Amino acid sequence: MARPRRDDAGPSAVERIEEAFWKLLDLMPYDQIKVTALAREARVSPNTLYYHFANMEAVARAALDRCLDANVVRAVLSGEDAALPGFDATRQERVAAFARSGSAALTGMLVESLRAEWLAVADVAAEDLTEAERRDLAFIFGGVVYALGDGSLGIGAEGMRAFLARPLGQGVAATMTALRA
């Protein structure tokens, strides 16, 4: 397949597709977003969409990956909020959209992406974790996704600071830091 032409003015096709994904996810359930509607909203042809992404799941994964913020993971691991001043509330809101989507595919993708982000920042190999440690992480990330979805974490650096200051947040940080050692 030939590479689609690049319009020099404005966002790239990939950026428009991801923005369109977020807009449609805000308007309808994930499983109702169709490639044709996404392409139309992004002002690209379906062929262009498929040139850049294999399927809707690949679009969702790319959009999520662009929103995950390693600074939040660093703040949790350090127990300090020094990494939070540049924390982007829009990105957190988009991550929260995955959590409240009601889609098992999106929430599962979010849990796995958070886990992978933590493993990378903590420099921990998944195969080095014990079964108990894997369960602890599953519990932590499942809880974080639930709290993002119901809004109890709050949005922005202040919400994250408040979480990290509470006993549960301190316990999460301590557990994640201990697993890192």
Side-chain angles (χ1 to χ4, degrees):
M1 179 185 318
R3 180 174 174 78
R5 73 178 168 80
R6 166 75 165 110
D7 294 330
D8 288 333
S12 70
V14 169
E15 291 167 331
R16 291 194 318 267
I17 291 166
E18 288 178 10
E19 284 302 314
F21 171 80
W22 290 116
K23 182 176 181 181
L24 293 178
L25 186 61
D26 193 41
L27 296 173
M28 66 185 69
Y30 172 68
D31 63 351
Q32 291 181 12
I33 300 174
K34 304 299 178 213
V35 168
T36 53
L38 183 59
R40 186 177 331 109
E41 184 67 36
R43 299 178 331 275
V44 300
S45 72
N47 285 343
T48 298
L49 192 144
Y50 282 121
Y51 177 82
H52 294 288
F53 301 99
N55 51 36
M56 188 62 71
E57 181 181 324
V59 173
R61 185 167 300 284
L64 175 62
D65 287 348
R66 191 178 304 270
C67 288
L68 290 179
D69 190 342
N71 286 329
V72 176
V73 177
R74 285 185 189 91
V76 170
L77 285 174
S78 69
E80 301 171 4
D81 66 7
L84 291 176
F87 186 61
D88 186 332
T90 300
R91 287 168 55 176
Q92 185 188 355
E93 178 56 41
R94 287 182 168 182
V95 171
F98 265 62
R100 68 174 170 267
S101 69
S103 165
L106 291 187
T107 54
M109 191 182 300
L110 178 55
V111 167
E112 184 51 41
S113 291
L114 290 171
R115 181 178 177 273
E117 188 78 16
W118 176 80
L119 289 168
V121 169
D123 196 27
V124 173
E127 57 273 6
D128 292 342
L129 295 171
T130 67
E131 187 59 36
E133 291 168 335
R134 281 194 272 289
R135 280 193 304 271
D136 288 351
L137 287 177
F139 182 81
I140 288 169
F141 293 126
V144 166
V145 168
Y146 180 85
L148 279 169
D150 78 358
S152 60
L153 274 185
I155 298 295
E158 289 307 312
M160 189 55 65
R161 282 186 185 101
F163 172 72
L164 290 172
R166 293 181 31 236
L168 179 61
Q170 292 170 0
V172 165
T175 300
M176 292 173 75
T177 301
L179 293 177
R180 181 182 191 189

